[in-house]
Every structure is written in structure tokens, then in C-alpha cells.
Amino acid sequence: MAEKEENNLDRLNHSSDGDREEKNGQSIPNSETEVEGKKRRTRTPSPKSNPIQAFMVAASPPKFISFDQLMAAANGVKNMSLAHEIAVNNDFQIEKLQPQENSIEKQVRDVMHKAFWDVLEDKLKGDPPDYSHALVLIEEVREMLVSLLLPQHVRLRAQLQEVLDMDLIQQKMENDAFDIFYYANYVVDTMSRLCAPVRDKRVARLRDSKEVVPLFKEIFEVLELMKMDMANFTIQQIRPYLQQQSVEYERKKFNEFLKTQEESGTDGLEITRMWLKRNYDKLLAEEAHCEEQDSAASQASATDSMPSTSSGSRGSKATPAAIMNEAYMETLSWDENNIYPETLLMDRARFFELETKCSLLTNIAAVQLVTYSTVGAPIAGIQTLKQTLKSHVQTLLEGENIDLKETLANVAEQVKKDVNECLVQHGFSQLDEKKSKLLTGQICDLASSGNAVTTLMKRRMTNFIKDSISTRRVDPLKLPPGFSAVETELSQVLGQFMRLISHNRSVFGPHYSAVISQLLERQQDLSPH
């Protein structure tokens, strides 16, 4: 191991020697190659990638940290990721890890388990029976039952220790006075008292088993499930406490990670700075565009001898809150060419899911808008058709890696079918050939880049979400026009998005404030005095 680490260090040292590298006969500064190297190493990860691996990103460091330091940082990020998952995911549960079918892990496990139970069966069939393996099983069962007890189970705990007294059981085995079904029945009775209602039927079936080996195999499987039930119950009970403590805990662990990165000569917030600066520059560009329009309006007013409608000196749009909101909104239309910020990596999959949902709701709203505007008065105000269209269109558009253009052709056929059925039901004639072709063309054209209807609906949704996170409202939010059919789904997306960014801002707020302050100070220094 030591020799391997020395070789790795030698390669790292060799890669950092010299101030320049030769490429195509020209000298390339190290700074450029290091930037490109970091881009490759910190490319936006897949939504299903490991958040721990995603955190451990760095450019070529001029210093080295020990293996223990690296593992400590990785473990800290792992614990932070788990605490974060429990805090933000109300559906978080521990599930039994099942190896994949035909995997080596599953094959080895199955062989080992079969060998164990076969040995137990052979020993029990001996004359006289050998209960040495059964004694070990009963002891393990007792320990698992004890682990399921709550502090208030004082009497049951004492009873368990008394009935499943291993010394007494061993004496009975040695004196041929041992009845294995007596203890099995006691274990099943105790399990029935401790298990969650969802396990009642499975525990009841244990009473019908008359074979020792199958009975104990099933007892162990059900006990494993009961342990997970208890763990999930505990998580559910302490979740409010975890949510209160998670902010400080995550911030502490992230700061430890940053310290480790700093010791290795790496800026652990480099991509976060790029993310905030990109959105700060976007706000400045919008502000400059508004000023140009105001200037043009002022000149036109002066030429026409009309009073200027310009607002004159307006406050800067690039406030710290506006920068953060703009940055968060970018997650709903993320450019995969950009690297994902370090502070958002744990929620990358969640933001990606919300982005996908927003795209789906936009397409559903666009299809409905095109349908109602094309067909016109005969279907105006028919709410049942809206819900039918939403259900069918959503089913067709959901799924990964769909071809939108091809799928919209199928959507158009389904929409025409639903519309014709609705028209006949309400006493109207079906769509004529001209209107049918027009509706098909309008729906299929929604897949085109820059389609006016899709762009309009996307802008309405974006403005609705941005307005919702930018202001504190007492009155109910006003739903954007055209989204009434997906009101419930849009409200859920907004709620999830607001919870995510609220937690993220609470954890990483001090880091964001420091970065934004530097951006604003630099802008002031560059401003003409």
C-alpha cells in the first residue's frame, strides 16, 4: 500500500513539474491546462450519480493531503448527504438491499445461506438430534427481538431474558428435554406483539409452519423487515428534530470539506462562484437593456416635444436577493454544458426532476391552448374535456428519452379523438378535414425550436415561479393563464422548489453572501466615479 501511494505521489508530482507544457510546438501555460482539467473532473454529474463522489472534485493541487484526511472528508460528506436526505425528503425510508439477479454477490449469498440451512437440517435429522446450530439461531433471534424493544418495554425485556435463557436452553438440550417448537412459538408470539400492522399476515403464517428449517428461515426474514420498520419509525419520529438541526450540521460538514479542499490548494466553491457570477452578469445585461430602452424613449419624447416617461435613475436590479433568485431559477432550465455548483450537488436529482416536471406541464398547457384556440367555441368552458386531455397528454409525454416530435404526433391523434367524442356528446359535428389537419399541424409544431406557443407558456410558468420565490405574499398566488388544468401539479412543483431552495439558502447562505458581496464590491470598483 505504501509503495502504491508513493507511485501515485510521484505521478502527481511529475504532472505538476514545470511551468509550461508543449503542445503542437507551442508553449501552453499551466493555468489553462489546469482549468481544462478541472472542467473535465467537475463536469455536471448524472442526476443518479453519487453525491459524495460529486463533492470530491478538485483541480491539480500543489499540495497533498493524507489518505486519512481524504477519507474523513468523504465520510463527513456522506453523513451530511444522509442527514440532508432525511431532512428534505419526507418519503425517505430505509429499504432492504437486494443484490441484482445473476450477480456474483447474489450467487455467493444464496450458496452460503443454502449451505448453512442444509447443515442445520442435517444436524436436526441426526439420531440423537444435534441442536448446537439451533442454539446459535435462538441466541441471534433473541438479540434481534431485544433490538426491537422500546425503553418502555421493561416487562417484555425481562420476560425475553427469562424465557430465552441460553444457559437453561443448553442444559435442556444436553438432557434431552429441549422442545424447539416451544421456543419457536414463543418467538412468533413476541413478534406478533412487536410488528407493524403491515407484517401481521406474514407473522400469522409462521404459525402454520411445521418444519423447523423453513420456520426459522421465515422468522429471520420477517425479523429483518421488522428491524427496517423500526428504523423507519425512528426516522419518522426524529425527523422534526433532524430538520431543525440539519442546517447547522450540514453547514458544519460542508465547512470541514472546504477546509480539506483549501489544505489541498483547491477552491471548494469555484463552480459556485461561476454560477452566481453568471446570473449576476445576466441581471446586469438586463439592466443595461432597460437603460437603453429608457434612453431611446427619452430621445423620442424630446424629439416629439412630449414629456419623458422614463423612470430616470432606477435602482439596480442586481440586488443580493435578485442574484440568488435568478441563480435558483437557472436550475429549472439547466444548460448541461455548465458545471453544477458544489452547493447544489446533493439536490441535483431533485432539481432535475423539477425541471422535467416543468417541461411536462409546459407542454400539456401548450397542447391545451392550441386545442381550445383551434377548435373554438364548441368546446369552450368544458372542464371535463380539459381533464381528459390533461390525463391522456400527460400519459403520452411522460417517460425518459422520448422523441418529442414523434410523441406529439401521437398526442395530436389522441387529442382529435377526445375532441371529436366531446363534440358528438354535446351535439356538435366532428372536426372537418381542414380543421383536423390544422390542429395536427399546430400540435406537432410545438416541438419546433422557438415555437411561439411553447415559448409563451414557458415564460408564463417561469415568471409565476420566479414571482412566487421573490416576494412574500399573504394573498393566494394567481395561477398563470392557460395552466388551470394542471393547477395541482404546478402547485406541487412550486412547493417542492421553494422547500429545496429555502433549505439550501439556510445551509449555504453565509457562503452565498460572501461571494455576492465580492461581486458587488468589484462592480463598484469598476464603476466610474
Side-chain angles (χ1 to χ4, degrees), residues 497-509:
F497 186 60
M498 293 182 73
R499 283 195 297 271
L500 277 181
I501 64 175
S502 175
H503 187 83
N504 182 270
R505 198 194 303 260
S506 298
V507 175
F508 302 107

Side-chain angles (χ1 to χ4, degrees), residues 259-307:
K259 184 177 180 181
T260 305
Q261 294 292 90
E262 183 180 351
E263 290 173 354
S264 69
T266 304
D267 181 5
L269 287 172
E270 180 177 353
I271 313 304
T272 300
R273 298 180 198 279
M274 294 168 58
W275 169 55
L276 293 175
K277 185 178 186 306
R278 181 166 60 247
N279 287 280
Y280 174 56
D281 291 342
K282 180 181 177 180
L283 288 176
L284 290 181
E286 291 178 358
E287 191 173 319
H289 180 68
C290 290
E291 290 178 355
E292 289 179 0
Q293 289 183 327
D294 288 345
S295 178
S298 298
Q299 293 178 1
S301 298
T303 302
D304 298 337
S305 299
M306 295 287 292

Side-chain angles (χ1 to χ4, degrees), residues 10 63 72 115 124-125 242 257 265 285 292 334 359 412 428 441 465 508:
D10 288 341
K63 302 178 182 178
L124 293 178
K125 287 181 178 179
L242 284 177
F257 163 77
E292 289 179 0
W334 192 264
S359 178
F428 296 98
I465 296 176
F508 302 107

Side-chain angles (χ1 to χ4, degrees), residues 244-260:
Q244 293 175 3
Q245 303 299 320
S246 177
V247 170
E248 290 298 327
Y249 180 78
E250 290 182 47
R251 187 183 299 163
K252 175 185 175 183
K253 290 300 179 183
F254 187 76
N255 288 339
E256 291 175 359
F257 163 77
L258 290 182
K259 184 177 180 181
T260 305

Side-chain angles (χ1 to χ4, degrees), residues 217-235:
K217 285 177 67 175
E218 186 69 8
I219 284 175
F220 271 95
E221 289 184 12
V222 177
L223 281 174
E224 288 291 341
L225 295 175
M226 290 173 61
K227 286 175 65 177
M228 283 192 299
D229 292 340
M230 178 59 70
N232 289 324
F233 172 75
T234 304
I235 290 172

Side-chain angles (χ1 to χ4, degrees), residues 13 114 118 130 141 151 162 180 184 190 194 216 245 280 333 335 380 421 430 441 465 481:
N13 282 324
K114 185 177 184 304
D118 286 347
D130 182 354
V141 167
E162 180 181 347
I180 193 169
T190 306
L194 295 174
F216 271 89
Q245 303 299 320
Y280 174 56
S333 56
D335 183 352
E421 289 178 355
Q430 296 188 1
I465 296 176

Side-chain angles (χ1 to χ4, degrees), residues 429-448:
S429 59
Q430 296 188 1
L431 297 174
D432 57 37
E433 183 178 357
K434 180 179 179 182
K435 188 161 287 189
S436 181
K437 286 184 177 180
L438 176 62
L439 181 58
T440 299
Q442 293 274 23
I443 292 177
C444 290
D445 194 50
L446 293 175
S448 303

